[in-house]
Amino acid sequence: MSLIVQKYGGTSVGSVERINAVAERVKTWRDLGDQVVVVVSAMSGETDRLIALARKIQERPNPREMDVLVSTGEQVTIALLSMALENLGCPAKSYTGGQVHIRTDSAHCKARIRDIDGVRVKADLDAGRVVVVAGFQGVDDGGNITTLGRGGSDTSAVAMAAALNADECQIYTDVDGVYTTDPRIEPRARKLDRITFEEMLEMASLGSKVLQIRAVEFAGKYRVPLRVLSSFEAGEGTLISLEEETVEDAVISGIAFNRDEAKLTILGVPDQPGVAHKILGPISDANIEVDMIIQNIAADEATTDFTFTVHRNDYERAREILGSAARILAAREVLGDDEIVKISLVGVGMRSHAGIASRMFAALAKEGINIRMISTSEIKISVVVDEKYLELGVRALHDAFDLHLADSAATGSNSASN
Ligand code: ASP
Ligand code: MG
């Protein structure tokens, strides 16, 4: 008998019909003899609706009250799903986060889980019940309701799985797994059977929005095997696990990209100790996150150029701040470009294979794509290119690293994706 935690997102519980379908699926697992804990999100659109309501009353709503409000979405679905399960003759019991002691810090609207007391849940499971828990919410030491940030139910499910020492945490969603890249850009993208936590983190942080990043971090830290699968179709989904357990020996697992990038350059700053700090200090003081950083070698041995990237939303502000730094440092000029994107190759196989970067650059060169910046980490190589080359670049790399379906080269179809 195994213990499984299943999480169903907003679209999977978006209507009464869908809630009934989820109940059927849960019952199937339980009938196989497994113990099942279900974590659910609010019905799709509900959290947004509640936030909009609050904004009609207060421009910047009180965060504590906001949590009291938005946590109601999940409370609705736990009750409805438990009823649907009972209807099918499957004993079930619902719990809010507070009731099963999902203890968090007090950072309202972005709380972090500290611990979960699984005693009550275990007792219900042992009594043969399915336990249905509200995702996204917890309770702080003062008994206040907290929420974990948008998409937080993923993290609730993983934390629950860790606390109960579950055999697997299954995230049911509207896609059937994690793909080599976004199928809307490359129709021949292939669903991965397996990927490591590290790779998934890179893919997620670069905009593959299948899972909340914090949930992946949590799963990696507590070694909770995580599976992403469709709640609408049958299939094995994608298993996210430790590297040792990953059998696929592909060098590259996927291609991630990020459209939300902008880059800033400051030209002709003195090549002296402390200059990087003078440029980037005020940027970080303004709470702007910097991603890639490049400092050129000084051509004239006295001055140097400095380029970095920020989120596109922070572009204008970062540019203003850099303008002030430029005056203080007597820099020559500040340049900016917010029509850029970042494309990254991700794969743990990079650690043991040489020549990946040059293969990447050759593929981009062949398409006439100019690389504006490059950065590398142990399992990732990223390039910044002009926005207009995003699709072309992703497809060229997908091709160059043979990531498409094995049979698609011959048939040109992706019908094998399940
Ligand atoms: N209902 C919350 C949200 O929409 C949490 C979740 O769905 O994971 O962000
Ligand atoms: Mg979600």
Side-chain angles (χ1 to χ4, degrees), residues 349-376:
M350 263 180 220
R351 291 199 187 110
S352 48
H353 287 78
I356 305 295
S358 69
R359 229 164 109 194
M360 178 183 195
F361 304 154
L364 296 172
K366 203 171 127 217
E367 301 295 341
I369 300 173
N370 194 19
I371 301 171
R372 309 231 167 245
M373 292 172 86
I374 301 167
S375 86
T376 62

mmCIF file of all heavy atoms in Angstrom, residues 349-376:
data_model
loop_
_atom_site.group_PDB
_atom_site.id
_atom_site.type_symbol
_atom_site.label_atom_id
_atom_site.label_comp_id
_atom_site.label_asym_id
_atom_site.label_seq_id
_atom_site.Cartn_x
_atom_site.Cartn_y
_atom_site.Cartn_z
ATOM 1 N N GLY A 349 23.326 16.575 -18.085
ATOM 2 C CA GLY A 349 24.345 15.891 -18.882
ATOM 3 C C GLY A 349 25.497 16.804 -19.289
ATOM 4 O O GLY A 349 26.566 16.342 -19.676
ATOM 5 N N MET A 350 25.281 18.109 -19.171
ATOM 6 C CA MET A 350 26.339 19.071 -19.520
ATOM 7 C C MET A 350 27.580 18.898 -18.675
ATOM 8 O O MET A 350 28.689 19.208 -19.092
ATOM 9 C CB MET A 350 25.831 20.486 -19.245
ATOM 10 C CG MET A 350 25.295 21.171 -20.433
ATOM 11 S SD MET A 350 24.749 22.791 -19.907
ATOM 12 C CE MET A 350 23.261 22.872 -20.875
ATOM 13 N N ARG A 351 27.368 18.427 -17.451
ATOM 14 C CA ARG A 351 28.493 18.241 -16.533
ATOM 15 C C ARG A 351 29.525 17.283 -17.111
ATOM 16 O O ARG A 351 30.701 17.425 -16.865
ATOM 17 C CB ARG A 351 27.989 17.642 -15.213
ATOM 18 C CG ARG A 351 27.148 18.572 -14.398
ATOM 19 C CD ARG A 351 27.119 18.065 -12.964
ATOM 20 N NE ARG A 351 26.193 18.848 -12.174
ATOM 21 C CZ ARG A 351 25.033 18.376 -11.711
ATOM 22 N NH1 ARG A 351 24.685 17.132 -11.925
ATOM 23 N NH2 ARG A 351 24.245 19.152 -11.013
ATOM 24 N N SER A 352 29.046 16.301 -17.843
ATOM 25 C CA SER A 352 29.975 15.261 -18.321
ATOM 26 C C SER A 352 30.216 15.323 -19.823
ATOM 27 O O SER A 352 30.904 14.482 -20.380
ATOM 28 C CB SER A 352 29.424 13.887 -17.928
ATOM 29 O OG SER A 352 28.055 13.811 -18.271
ATOM 30 N N HIS A 353 29.639 16.312 -20.494
ATOM 31 C CA HIS A 353 29.852 16.403 -21.940
ATOM 32 C C HIS A 353 30.446 17.751 -22.311
ATOM 33 O O HIS A 353 29.938 18.784 -21.875
ATOM 34 C CB HIS A 353 28.527 16.228 -22.688
ATOM 35 C CG HIS A 353 28.023 14.816 -22.686
ATOM 36 N ND1 HIS A 353 27.403 14.262 -21.600
ATOM 37 C CD2 HIS A 353 28.072 13.856 -23.644
ATOM 38 C CE1 HIS A 353 27.075 13.000 -21.891
ATOM 39 N NE2 HIS A 353 27.475 12.731 -23.113
ATOM 40 N N ALA A 354 31.471 17.729 -23.124
ATOM 41 C CA ALA A 354 32.085 18.972 -23.580
ATOM 42 C C ALA A 354 31.457 19.379 -24.905
ATOM 43 O O ALA A 354 30.771 18.583 -25.555
ATOM 44 C CB ALA A 354 33.578 18.765 -23.731
ATOM 45 N N GLY A 355 31.681 20.604 -25.293
ATOM 46 C CA GLY A 355 31.293 21.036 -26.633
ATOM 47 C C GLY A 355 29.844 21.447 -26.808
ATOM 48 O O GLY A 355 29.405 21.746 -27.915
ATOM 49 N N ILE A 356 29.090 21.483 -25.709
ATOM 50 C CA ILE A 356 27.670 21.839 -25.826
ATOM 51 C C ILE A 356 27.528 23.302 -26.249
ATOM 52 O O ILE A 356 26.744 23.638 -27.132
ATOM 53 C CB ILE A 356 26.935 21.615 -24.486
ATOM 54 C CG1 ILE A 356 27.125 20.182 -23.990
ATOM 55 C CG2 ILE A 356 25.459 21.951 -24.613
ATOM 56 C CD1 ILE A 356 26.519 19.144 -24.856
ATOM 57 N N ALA A 357 28.310 24.163 -25.601
ATOM 58 C CA ALA A 357 28.197 25.590 -25.907
ATOM 59 C C ALA A 357 28.510 25.857 -27.372
ATOM 60 O O ALA A 357 27.766 26.578 -28.045
ATOM 61 C CB ALA A 357 29.134 26.388 -25.001
ATOM 62 N N SER A 358 29.555 25.252 -27.895
ATOM 63 C CA SER A 358 29.913 25.565 -29.279
ATOM 64 C C SER A 358 28.857 25.026 -30.240
ATOM 65 O O SER A 358 28.563 25.655 -31.262
ATOM 66 C CB SER A 358 31.315 25.057 -29.621
ATOM 67 O OG SER A 358 31.316 23.662 -29.663
ATOM 68 N N ARG A 359 28.253 23.886 -29.879
ATOM 69 C CA ARG A 359 27.172 23.369 -30.720
ATOM 70 C C ARG A 359 25.977 24.336 -30.707
ATOM 71 O O ARG A 359 25.336 24.565 -31.721
ATOM 72 C CB ARG A 359 26.724 22.014 -30.171
ATOM 73 C CG ARG A 359 26.632 20.941 -31.241
ATOM 74 C CD ARG A 359 26.568 19.585 -30.575
ATOM 75 N NE ARG A 359 25.253 18.988 -30.693
ATOM 76 C CZ ARG A 359 24.868 17.933 -29.959
ATOM 77 N NH1 ARG A 359 25.682 17.400 -29.050
ATOM 78 N NH2 ARG A 359 23.674 17.410 -30.129
ATOM 79 N N MET A 360 25.750 24.897 -29.543
ATOM 80 C CA MET A 360 24.652 25.859 -29.406
ATOM 81 C C MET A 360 24.913 27.104 -30.256
ATOM 82 O O MET A 360 24.061 27.562 -31.013
ATOM 83 C CB MET A 360 24.505 26.248 -27.929
ATOM 84 C CG MET A 360 23.420 27.273 -27.645
ATOM 85 S SD MET A 360 23.439 27.703 -25.877
ATOM 86 C CE MET A 360 21.850 28.529 -25.717
ATOM 87 N N PHE A 361 26.125 27.634 -30.134
ATOM 88 C CA PHE A 361 26.452 28.868 -30.851
ATOM 89 C C PHE A 361 26.435 28.632 -32.362
ATOM 90 O O PHE A 361 25.999 29.495 -33.131
ATOM 91 C CB PHE A 361 27.816 29.419 -30.406
ATOM 92 C CG PHE A 361 27.904 29.643 -28.910
ATOM 93 C CD1 PHE A 361 29.126 29.612 -28.248
ATOM 94 C CD2 PHE A 361 26.752 29.894 -28.171
ATOM 95 C CE1 PHE A 361 29.200 29.811 -26.877
ATOM 96 C CE2 PHE A 361 26.814 30.089 -26.787
ATOM 97 C CZ PHE A 361 28.048 30.039 -26.146
ATOM 98 N N ALA A 362 26.890 27.446 -32.783
ATOM 99 C CA ALA A 362 26.888 27.130 -34.216
ATOM 100 C C ALA A 362 25.458 27.101 -34.750
ATOM 101 O O ALA A 362 25.170 27.634 -35.827
ATOM 102 C CB ALA A 362 27.574 25.782 -34.455
ATOM 103 N N ALA A 363 24.560 26.507 -33.974
ATOM 104 C CA ALA A 363 23.165 26.405 -34.427
ATOM 105 C C ALA A 363 22.546 27.793 -34.578
ATOM 106 O O ALA A 363 21.790 28.055 -35.521
ATOM 107 C CB ALA A 363 22.359 25.571 -33.444
ATOM 108 N N LEU A 364 22.868 28.694 -33.646
ATOM 109 C CA LEU A 364 22.310 30.049 -33.723
ATOM 110 C C LEU A 364 22.943 30.826 -34.881
ATOM 111 O O LEU A 364 22.261 31.567 -35.597
ATOM 112 C CB LEU A 364 22.505 30.781 -32.390
ATOM 113 C CG LEU A 364 21.761 30.153 -31.199
ATOM 114 C CD1 LEU A 364 22.175 30.819 -29.894
ATOM 115 C CD2 LEU A 364 20.243 30.272 -31.384
ATOM 116 N N ALA A 365 24.233 30.616 -35.061
ATOM 117 C CA ALA A 365 24.938 31.316 -36.143
ATOM 118 C C ALA A 365 24.375 30.925 -37.498
ATOM 119 O O ALA A 365 24.194 31.762 -38.389
ATOM 120 C CB ALA A 365 26.437 30.994 -36.076
ATOM 121 N N LYS A 366 24.075 29.655 -37.639
ATOM 122 C CA LYS A 366 23.544 29.145 -38.906
ATOM 123 C C LYS A 366 22.252 29.869 -39.298
ATOM 124 O O LYS A 366 21.951 30.042 -40.469
ATOM 125 C CB LYS A 366 23.284 27.643 -38.760
ATOM 126 C CG LYS A 366 23.277 26.889 -40.069
ATOM 127 C CD LYS A 366 23.248 25.386 -39.849
ATOM 128 C CE LYS A 366 22.089 24.796 -40.641
ATOM 129 N NZ LYS A 366 21.433 23.702 -39.939
ATOM 130 N N GLU A 367 21.511 30.309 -38.305
ATOM 131 C CA GLU A 367 20.262 31.033 -38.572
ATOM 132 C C GLU A 367 20.486 32.539 -38.611
ATOM 133 O O GLU A 367 19.528 33.310 -38.695
ATOM 134 C CB GLU A 367 19.211 30.711 -37.484
ATOM 135 C CG GLU A 367 18.845 29.246 -37.359
ATOM 136 C CD GLU A 367 18.141 28.690 -38.606
ATOM 137 O OE1 GLU A 367 17.630 29.495 -39.409
ATOM 138 O OE2 GLU A 367 18.142 27.457 -38.766
ATOM 139 N N GLY A 368 21.726 32.959 -38.490
ATOM 140 C CA GLY A 368 22.018 34.390 -38.527
ATOM 141 C C GLY A 368 21.561 35.124 -37.276
ATOM 142 O O GLY A 368 21.269 36.321 -37.308
ATOM 143 N N ILE A 369 21.484 34.413 -36.153
ATOM 144 C CA ILE A 369 21.040 35.036 -34.908
ATOM 145 C C ILE A 369 22.249 35.553 -34.128
ATOM 146 O O ILE A 369 23.146 34.777 -33.795
ATOM 147 C CB ILE A 369 20.233 34.037 -34.044
ATOM 148 C CG1 ILE A 369 18.996 33.552 -34.815
ATOM 149 C CG2 ILE A 369 19.842 34.672 -32.707
ATOM 150 C CD1 ILE A 369 18.235 32.438 -34.122
ATOM 151 N N ASN A 370 22.251 36.827 -33.852
ATOM 152 C CA ASN A 370 23.370 37.420 -33.133
ATOM 153 C C ASN A 370 23.186 37.226 -31.623
ATOM 154 O O ASN A 370 22.117 37.501 -31.088
ATOM 155 C CB ASN A 370 23.450 38.913 -33.478
ATOM 156 C CG ASN A 370 24.771 39.518 -33.052
ATOM 157 O OD1 ASN A 370 25.742 38.792 -32.830
ATOM 158 N ND2 ASN A 370 24.799 40.824 -32.916
ATOM 159 N N ILE A 371 24.229 36.751 -30.967
ATOM 160 C CA ILE A 371 24.176 36.549 -29.517
ATOM 161 C C ILE A 371 24.671 37.818 -28.837
ATOM 162 O O ILE A 371 25.766 38.294 -29.117
ATOM 163 C CB ILE A 371 25.061 35.344 -29.103
ATOM 164 C CG1 ILE A 371 24.572 34.074 -29.812
ATOM 165 C CG2 ILE A 371 25.036 35.160 -27.596
ATOM 166 C CD1 ILE A 371 25.505 32.886 -29.626
ATOM 167 N N ARG A 372 23.845 38.371 -27.929
ATOM 168 C CA ARG A 372 24.230 39.629 -27.276
ATOM 169 C C ARG A 372 24.921 39.404 -25.933
ATOM 170 O O ARG A 372 25.764 40.190 -25.541
ATOM 171 C CB ARG A 372 23.001 40.496 -27.064
ATOM 172 C CG ARG A 372 22.172 40.667 -28.306
ATOM 173 C CD ARG A 372 21.892 42.136 -28.571
ATOM 174 N NE ARG A 372 21.365 42.326 -29.900
ATOM 175 C CZ ARG A 372 21.999 42.985 -30.845
ATOM 176 N NH1 ARG A 372 23.178 43.517 -30.608
ATOM 177 N NH2 ARG A 372 21.460 43.129 -32.029
ATOM 178 N N MET A 373 24.525 38.361 -25.239
ATOM 179 C CA MET A 373 25.180 38.042 -23.961
ATOM 180 C C MET A 373 25.166 36.523 -23.799
ATOM 181 O O MET A 373 24.286 35.849 -24.327
ATOM 182 C CB MET A 373 24.412 38.640 -22.772
ATOM 183 C CG MET A 373 24.436 40.145 -22.692
ATOM 184 S SD MET A 373 23.312 40.746 -21.389
ATOM 185 C CE MET A 373 24.365 40.673 -19.947
ATOM 186 N N ILE A 374 26.107 36.034 -23.011
ATOM 187 C CA ILE A 374 26.165 34.595 -22.736
ATOM 188 C C ILE A 374 26.415 34.419 -21.246
ATOM 189 O O ILE A 374 27.197 35.163 -20.657
ATOM 190 C CB ILE A 374 27.350 33.930 -23.494
ATOM 191 C CG1 ILE A 374 27.210 34.145 -25.003
ATOM 192 C CG2 ILE A 374 27.449 32.439 -23.153
ATOM 193 C CD1 ILE A 374 28.476 33.791 -25.786
ATOM 194 N N SER A 375 25.746 33.443 -20.646
ATOM 195 C CA SER A 375 26.149 33.085 -19.285
ATOM 196 C C SER A 375 25.989 31.586 -19.116
ATOM 197 O O SER A 375 25.172 30.958 -19.791
ATOM 198 C CB SER A 375 25.337 33.853 -18.242
ATOM 199 O OG SER A 375 24.145 33.199 -17.967
ATOM 200 N N THR A 376 26.791 31.015 -18.270
ATOM 201 C CA THR A 376 26.727 29.563 -18.101
ATOM 202 C C THR A 376 26.693 29.200 -16.621
ATOM 203 O O THR A 376 27.173 29.935 -15.774
ATOM 204 C CB THR A 376 27.972 28.867 -18.711
ATOM 205 O OG1 THR A 376 29.128 29.324 -18.022
ATOM 206 C CG2 THR A 376 28.111 29.148 -20.174
#
